[in-house]
């Protein structure tokens, strides 16, 4: 592994983005600074993702304390997820304008504020404001567009691997915080769990401000595996650029296929499993702490599956990988309703492992296809594709709660999601190969 993180090319010291004639030359450190930036990004995503552990754990407690319907609670979760997605493409452009550090620190502050304020809420509209608006804007600004921006700036080689690792950070946060928050909710109530999430976001702020750098040129380095390039001037008109990139991409077929498949990805993961797995398992008599632990185990194998997917994306055709991932996910969801029981048994463990490996394995090949088709604008295009992911998640987070209220069971939602995944597998195969369109859009 050390061979993968070392680089011995020499770079010239730069001043003001230009080479200083006759200036000192220094050798790139044996362990390239890009790997430290990736590590800080990983920790930041973990801290920001802590809130994502809460909604599934708090549906029943909020329902019991405030007598809010599951549909009302699901609506707040859906607003959070929708804003998470819709903020992401603008966040990528804002990072180009103001820098990664400023945007991410502001985002962490919004997550902490939303989580803390929810402790004092007494009405469902406050849940929409704190969980939906504040947390949605905060987590959206640290969405996968954040990892895409870091990867694009700091890496030329190993992009697929780094994308997989950074994507797995969200699952790692789930692994850390789900069992902890489940125990806190069971033993002390939901409010201390919300405070814990707020503190997790605030703890990360000093690491971001002190250790994260916006561009390799800030420290006189070339990106890992590439040549030195001066830091570009801040891009003005972030919102206009974001919309322009969307309009350009929307004229191409691959964008709609990627957006459609990723919407189904969000519906079948964040919208369904992350939000409704715990209450669904509890409906079958399983203790909340046991169900939350199973969801955390999904996070363990999510890390393995996503990193492996990044490695595979560097070596195999992304379209075919996506088709395989969605097909396997659909099969697993169709079988889940018959596996739910009061206790954990071997077939359920098999589902958890299988589903965990596939949870966000779709991200590295989807991002690779965005790069292939949309070049320098790929991070913003991926932000819009991520927006579709979260819109799909938001719809199912809300409709799943409504289905539970209407039918008294989540079964219909599991079966419908399995069918959608089959459609996503077919859509993935239809995406054409890149033909240089990315270069045209970049120009």
């Amino acid at each position: 592994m050390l061979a993968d993180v070392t680089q011995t090319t020499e770079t010239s010291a730069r001043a003001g983005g230009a080479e200083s004639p006759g200036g000192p030359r220094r050798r790139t450190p044996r362990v390239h600074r890009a790997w430290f930036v990736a590590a800080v990004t990983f920790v930041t995503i973990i801290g920001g993702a802590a809130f994502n552990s809460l909604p599934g754990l708090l549906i029943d407690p909020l329902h019991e304390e405030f007598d809010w319907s599951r549909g009302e609670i699901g609506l707040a979760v859906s607003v959070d997820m929708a804003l998470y997605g819709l903020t992401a493409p603008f966040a990528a452009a804002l990072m180009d304008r103001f820098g990664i550090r400023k945007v991410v620190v502001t985002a962490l502050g919004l997550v902490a504020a939303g989580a803390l304020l929810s402790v004092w809420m007494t009405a469902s509209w406050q849940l929409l404001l704190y969980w939906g608006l504040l947390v949605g804007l905060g987590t959206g600004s640290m969405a996968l567009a954040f990892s895409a921006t870091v990867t694009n700036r700091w890496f030329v080689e190993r992009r697929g691997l780094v994308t997989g690792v950074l994507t797995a950070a969200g699952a790692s946060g789930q692994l850390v915080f789900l069992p902890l928050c489940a125990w806190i909710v069971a033993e002390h109530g939901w409010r201390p769990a919300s405070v814990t999430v707020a503190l997790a976001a605030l703890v990360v702020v000093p690491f971001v401000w002190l250790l994260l750098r916006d561009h390799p040129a800030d420290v006189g380095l070339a990106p890992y595996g590439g040549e030195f390039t001066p830091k570009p001037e801040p891009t003005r008109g972030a919102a206009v650029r974001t919309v322009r990139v969307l309009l350009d991409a929307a004229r191409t077929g691959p964008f709609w296929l990627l957006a459609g498949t990723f919407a189904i990805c969000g519906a079948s993961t964040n919208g369904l499993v992350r939000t409704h797995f715990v209450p669904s398992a509890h409906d079958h008599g399983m203790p909340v702490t046991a169900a939350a632990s199973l969801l955390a185990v999904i996070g363990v194998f999510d890390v393995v599956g996503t990193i492996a997917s990044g490695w595979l994306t560097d070596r195999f055709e992304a379209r075919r990988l996506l088709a395989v991932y969605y097909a396997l996910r659909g099969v697993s969801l169709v079988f889940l309703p018959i596996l739910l029981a009061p206790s954990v048994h071997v077939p359920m463990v098999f589902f958890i492992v299988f589903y965990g490996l596939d949870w966000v394995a779709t991200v590295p090949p989807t991002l690779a296809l965005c790069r292939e088709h949309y070049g320098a604008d790929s991070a913003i295009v991926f932000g819009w594709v991520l927006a579709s992911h979260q819109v799909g998640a938001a719809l199912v987070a809300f409709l799943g709660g409504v289905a539970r209220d209407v039918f008294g069971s989540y079964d219909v939602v599991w079966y419908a999601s399995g069918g959608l995944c089959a459609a996503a597998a077919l859509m993935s195969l239809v995406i054409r190969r890149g033909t240089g369109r990315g270069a045209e859009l970049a120009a």
Side-chain angles (χ1 to χ4, degrees):
M1 182 65 180
L2 183 59
D4 289 343
V5 298
T6 60
Q7 191 177 42
T8 58
T9 57
E10 292 185 346
T11 57
S12 299
R14 307 282 175 151
E19 184 174 356
S20 301
R25 298 175 69 85
R26 64 184 181 183
R27 184 176 297 274
T28 302
R30 291 294 298 175
V31 179
H32 196 285
R33 180 67 175 267
W35 295 101
F36 292 104
V37 171
V40 173
T41 304
F42 186 91
V43 173
T44 303
I45 294 172
I46 288 178
F51 183 85
N52 292 331
S53 304
L54 276 185
L57 299 176
L58 301 192
I59 288 177
D60 286 338
L62 292 177
H63 173 70
E64 292 169 5
E65 178 172 338
F66 297 108
D67 198 31
W68 298 336
S69 72
R70 290 176 176 83
E72 285 181 290
I73 300 169
L75 178 61
V77 177
S78 71
V79 171
D80 164 44
M81 291 182 175
L83 282 177
Y84 176 101
L86 293 172
T87 303
F90 292 96
L94 287 172
M95 287 176 189
D96 287 344
R97 173 66 179 89
F98 297 105
I100 297 173
R101 288 193 301 170
K102 291 180 181 178
V103 173
V104 172
V105 166
T106 302
L108 289 167
L110 288 173
V111 172
L116 280 175
L117 288 171
S118 68
V119 171
W120 294 284
M121 65 185 177
T122 56
S124 59
W125 68 265
Q126 294 170 323
L127 183 69
L128 282 169
L129 176 62
Y130 303 149
W131 278 24
L133 181 62
L134 294 182
V135 175
L137 291 174
T139 55
S141 297
M142 293 182 296
L144 293 172
F146 171 34
S147 61
T149 300
V150 170
T151 303
N152 287 349
R153 291 186 183 182
W154 281 89
F155 292 87
V156 174
E157 297 180 358
R158 307 295 181 185
R159 278 180 171 173
L161 176 63
V162 175
T163 299
V165 171
L166 295 183
T167 302
S172 299
Q174 176 177 298
L175 169 63
V176 171
F177 288 100
L178 253 176
L180 175 63
C181 290
W183 177 81
I184 293 173
V185 170
E187 297 295 326
H188 304 287
W190 65 270
R191 288 179 176 83
S194 191
V195 172
T196 300
V197 166
L199 293 176
L202 292 176
V203 164
V204 179
V205 170
F207 292 94
V208 174
W209 193 254
L210 295 175
L211 301 177
L212 192 64
R213 292 295 179 268
D214 292 330
H215 196 278
D218 288 339
V219 288
L221 294 176
Y224 179 78
E227 298 181 357
F228 182 90
T229 56
K231 183 177 180 178
E233 292 295 324
T235 304
R236 300 184 182 277
V240 173
R241 181 190 173 202
T242 301
V243 174
R244 176 185 60 77
V245 169
L246 171 63
L247 294 176
D248 287 343
R251 298 189 184 101
T252 67
F255 172 79
W256 293 105
L257 291 169
L258 288 168
T261 55
F262 224 40
I264 293 171
C265 178
S268 57
T269 53
N270 292 354
L272 182 59
V273 176
R274 177 171 287 166
T275 305
H276 296 294
F277 177 81
V278 172
S280 180
H282 189 54
D283 284 348
H284 288 77
M286 185 179 293
V288 170
T289 51
S293 296
L294 287 176
L295 200 55
V297 172
I298 286 180
V300 176
F301 290 95
D302 182 10
V303 174
V304 177
T306 307
I307 293 174
S309 179
W311 183 85
L312 290 170
T313 302
D314 286 333
R315 290 161 175 79
F316 298 99
E317 189 177 350
R319 300 178 309 145
R320 298 186 186 278
L321 288 175
L322 282 179
V324 171
Y325 295 158
Y326 283 121
L328 293 176
R329 182 183 300 178
V331 170
S332 66
L333 287 174
V334 168
F335 280 98
L336 179 59
I338 64 176
L339 300 179
L340 292 170
S343 60
V344 179
H345 49 85
V346 173
M348 173 57 75
V349 173
F350 179 79
F351 167 83
I352 293 298
V353 173
F354 187 85
Y355 194 84
L357 291 172
D358 200 346
W359 179 275
V360 286
T362 55
V363 172
T366 299
L367 182 51
L369 286 168
C370 285
R371 289 195 195 103
E372 182 180 328
H373 287 278
Y374 304 107
D377 289 331
S378 61
I380 297 177
V381 173
F382 181 70
W384 284 113
V385 172
L386 177 63
S388 71
H389 180 282
Q390 292 306 114
V391 169
L395 286 172
V396 172
F398 171 62
L399 294 176
V402 172
R404 173 61 177 80
D405 290 334
V406 172
F407 300 109
S409 168
Y410 286 103
D411 288 359
V412 65
V413 187
W414 299 117
Y415 296 135
S417 294
L420 286 174
C421 288
L426 294 175
M427 292 166 64
S428 300
L429 294 175
V430 176
I431 300 172
R432 60 176 172 80
R433 293 176 181 271
T435 57
R437 177 63 177 167
E440 294 173 16
L441 288 176

